[in-house]
Amino acid sequence: MLNSPLSEHASELVIAILHQVLTQGAPLDRAYSKQFAPERLKPWEQARIALVTGDILRRLSYYSFLADVSAEQIEREGTRLINAWHMANGLELPKMRYALQMDSELLEQRMAEAQAMPALLDGCPQWLEALGSEQLGDNWPAERHALTQAPKRYLRTNLLKCSREELKARLAKEGVETCEVPEVGSALEVISDSALFRTECFKSGWFEQQDAGSQHVAEALGVEPGMRVIDACAGAGGKTLHLAAKMQGKGRLLAMDVEQWKLDNLKQRARRAGAHNVETRLIASSKTIKRLKLSADRVLLDVPCSGLGVLKRNPDTKWRDTPERLPVLMELQEHILGSYSRMVKVGGILVYATCSIMPQENEQQVARFLKQQGHFRLLDEETISPAKTGFDGFYLARIERIAE
């Protein structure tokens, strides 16, 4: 947390970012990019702004309750929300010329009232509280609270270029302090405020920024050099590059997606990482999948999902149309699992993964698939719990094809 108040300009930028996200529907990362692009901010200044913005979005309903400001009022009355955030966190108020003041006694009264409303205290909207309680039962309060915490910064060592120990030492020389993550052999946690993407380590392709929980997913595939592997929902390719490293750059790794711009970004990242066995292919129609029937030793399906396991990192998801999109996403997940699984050869393994912790997108989808497809069997499944690990939340299931 901050130990000093934001400047007036930083406060204005926080309000502008919140306005873009909450009233204009901009994804948080794009709102950051738009606001930061014309500025000449130092990395630590950006970090402070992101810290405050992220905390407000993770607990938006709580801070809105304290300030008596709705999302629609952010542009006009955002200064009161900023003041409420500072007061609630024991900081002096930022010096702003046109700030709407908060009554300290009223704020203390509202903070006391919120103590009796755990969901509000955790910044949880009603739809998510209902869903989490229904899906996770007694486990939901701990997960809900864990998802209000600021995300830690994790790196994945690119084993094509260096070991974790070599990366740690070289980063230290560049002023980036890290520590090893015992549970994840390729992961380092960044414990200093450092501009990671300005380091020579990054420019040389020695690491990718990737949550430690996410790194479990590629590990579950059990790929080996020389295999034919398909990452069928590759996106920008974080897990693709992890697979390439596990394959030691040997064999064929096909990265597929329905959006060409993501694959173009992946090509650039693969060049920097030295992942020369990565081939990209656009999924133009169902024929693209049919041509690859029974061809792959391993298939990763990191399917589109609600993102309800990564709310620490993407807190704006809570305040979007996620409940309306969930049925559509679940139908898409079912379609992808049923269709894309045809690419796995007999004896091959499919990993179905999401960044959600809700069983309806995870265990229930896999159980439905196995009931409909008699030529597959479940090997094992795992939910990576934010409450238990401190990582982002993920689900993965390893499924073997046992017959055509």
Side-chain angles (χ1 to χ4, degrees):
M1 195 53 64
L2 301 186
N3 53 19
S4 61
L6 290 177
S7 67
E8 179 179 18
H9 185 51
S11 298
E12 291 170 348
L13 286 173
V14 170
I15 293 168
I17 294 166
L18 292 172
H19 173 64
Q20 273 191 265
V21 170
L22 297 172
T23 63
Q24 298 180 357
L28 181 56
D29 57 349
R30 292 185 192 174
Y32 282 139
S33 296
K34 183 175 180 179
Q35 293 301 321
F36 290 162
E39 303 287 338
R40 293 186 176 179
L41 298 173
K42 296 177 181 176
W44 64 266
E45 291 175 307
Q46 291 189 14
R48 282 168 61 88
I49 291 167
L51 185 151
V52 176
T53 305
D55 188 55
I56 290 175
L57 283 172
R58 280 189 291 274
R59 304 177 68 194
L60 179 65
S61 53
Y62 172 64
Y63 290 120
S64 294
F65 173 73
L66 297 185
D68 194 21
V69 173
S70 67
E72 295 76 19
Q73 297 171 313
I74 292 293
E75 187 176 27
R76 298 191 315 273
E77 302 186 25
T79 56
R80 189 159 65 229
L81 183 66
I82 295 294
N83 280 340
W85 183 88
H86 280 77
M87 293 166 73
N89 286 283
L91 294 169
E92 293 181 9
L93 296 183
K95 294 180 172 60
M96 293 184 283
R97 286 170 292 176
Y98 306 109
L100 296 171
Q101 299 303 313
M102 275 293 304
D103 181 275
S104 59
E105 290 187 6
L106 178 60
L107 181 127
E108 289 181 8
Q109 178 185 328
R110 287 180 175 246
M111 288 177 67
E113 290 175 15
Q115 294 298 318
M117 298 180 279
L120 176 65
L121 202 60
D122 286 337
C124 186
Q126 292 181 355
W127 71 265
L128 182 55
E129 178 66 7
L131 177 65
S133 297
E134 185 268 325
Q135 289 280 300
L136 296 175
D138 292 342
N139 293 326
W140 170 239
E143 300 293 359
R144 181 189 67 211
H145 183 68
L147 290 169
T148 69
Q149 307 305 303
K152 296 179 180 180
R153 291 200 295 175
Y154 293 102
L155 307 179
R156 179 184 57 77
T157 309
N158 180 10
L159 298 176
L160 290 172
K161 296 202 170 187
C162 62
S163 68
R164 182 165 70 169
E165 293 72 22
E166 289 170 332
L167 175 61
K168 187 175 189 296
R170 184 172 171 185
L171 283 171
K173 290 180 180 178
E174 295 196 59
V176 181
E177 189 177 355
T178 61
C179 64
E180 296 180 0
V181 181
E183 307 94 324
V184 188
S186 55
L188 289 173
E189 180 187 345
V190 181
I191 53 178
S192 61
D193 291 330
S194 308
L196 290 173
F197 302 120
R198 299 183 185 183
T199 62
E200 289 302 316
C201 280
F202 176 74
K203 295 173 184 176
S204 301
W206 279 36
F207 71 83
E208 292 285 338
Q209 186 163 287
Q210 184 179 3
D211 183 77
S214 175
Q215 295 181 42
H216 278 280
V217 176
E219 295 282 351
L221 272 173
V223 298
E224 296 177 3
M227 280 185 170
R228 181 182 173 95
V229 179
I230 298 175
D231 183 354
C233 306
K239 296 181 181 68
T240 305
L241 299 181
H242 192 178
L243 291 170
K246 298 294 292 184
M247 295 170 71
Q248 299 173 21
K250 302 171 184 176
R252 188 179 182 193
L253 176 52
L254 183 59
M256 307 174 71
D257 202 88
V258 295
E259 297 188 78
Q260 185 63 50
W261 69 270
K262 292 182 179 179
L263 296 176
D264 292 340
N265 287 346
L266 170 54
K267 289 178 185 178
Q268 295 179 11
R269 295 175 71 185
R271 281 194 292 271
R272 186 180 67 242
H276 303 303
N277 65 327
V278 174
E279 173 190 343
T280 61
R281 185 175 303 178
L282 180 70
I283 301 175
S285 70
S286 59
K287 292 180 181 178
T288 309
I289 304 299
K290 289 178 182 177
R291 294 190 189 105
L292 294 166
K293 183 178 180 181
L294 298 171
S295 67
D297 299 295
R298 300 286 188 270
V299 172
L300 172 59
L301 299 181
D302 184 15
V303 298
C305 71
S306 64
L308 295 178
V310 294
L311 292 176
K312 289 192 291 186
R313 214 164 294 281
N314 301 309
D316 48 322
T317 301
K318 291 195 284 189
W319 316 108
R320 295 192 179 282
D321 59 347
T322 304
E324 289 75 26
R325 290 192 303 111
L326 255 175
V328 178
L329 286 168
M330 290 170 60
E331 185 176 341
L332 178 59
Q333 291 162 2
E334 185 175 359
H335 166 73
I336 290 174
L337 188 51
S339 176
Y340 292 20
S341 58
R342 290 180 288 180
M343 297 186 289
V344 186
K345 64 171 60 172
V346 177
I349 292 174
L350 160 75
V351 167
Y352 171 86
T354 75
C355 54
S356 173
I357 55 174
M358 299 301 172
Q360 63 183 1
E361 299 182 78
N362 299 335
E363 299 96 321
Q364 293 171 19
Q365 287 283 27
V366 170
R368 187 181 302 111
F369 167 74
L370 294 173
K371 186 176 180 180
Q372 295 170 348
Q373 308 281 349
H375 36 274
F376 288 88
R377 71 183 179 101
L378 178 66
L379 297 177
D380 50 54
E381 59 188 338
E382 177 185 8
T383 298
I384 298 165
S385 157
K388 293 177 181 177
T389 66
F391 306 153
D392 286 342
F394 294 89
Y395 169 84
L396 58 96
R398 294 196 314 130
I399 303 167
E400 181 185 18
R401 179 185 275 276
I402 55 176
E404 290 188 25

